[in-house]
Amino acid sequence: MKKYVCKVCHYEYIPEEGDADFGIAPGTKFEDLPEDWVCPLCAVGKDMFEEVDV
């Protein structure tokens, strides 16, 4: 399992959970997030996330 961690605020995007606040369904891969998706906590783009093995 993988998660994606914001380098700025350390928010964790977990694909199995999705992002209900942005209408992202559970099971949505990070690569499949819309290009305009931003961190829900600090609003940086996807390029500021790093992949982490859990």
Side-chain angles (χ1 to χ4, degrees), residues 5-20:
V5 179
C6 178
K7 296 177 189 177
V8 176
C9 71
H10 307 288
Y11 167 81
E12 297 178 354
Y13 176 76
I14 301 169
E16 289 76 18
E17 296 177 8
D19 184 354

Side-chain angles (χ1 to χ4, degrees), residues 5-48:
V5 179
C6 178
K7 296 177 189 177
V8 176
C9 71
H10 307 288
Y11 167 81
E12 297 178 354
Y13 176 76
I14 301 169
E16 289 76 18
E17 296 177 8
D19 184 354
D21 292 339
F22 278 81
I24 306 298
T28 302
K29 295 179 184 177
F30 188 78
E31 306 81 50
D32 295 336
L33 291 172
E35 287 303 314
D36 62 349
W37 182 86
V38 295
C39 177
L41 298 182
C42 69
V44 298
K46 290 171 55 176
D47 62 323
M48 294 300 294

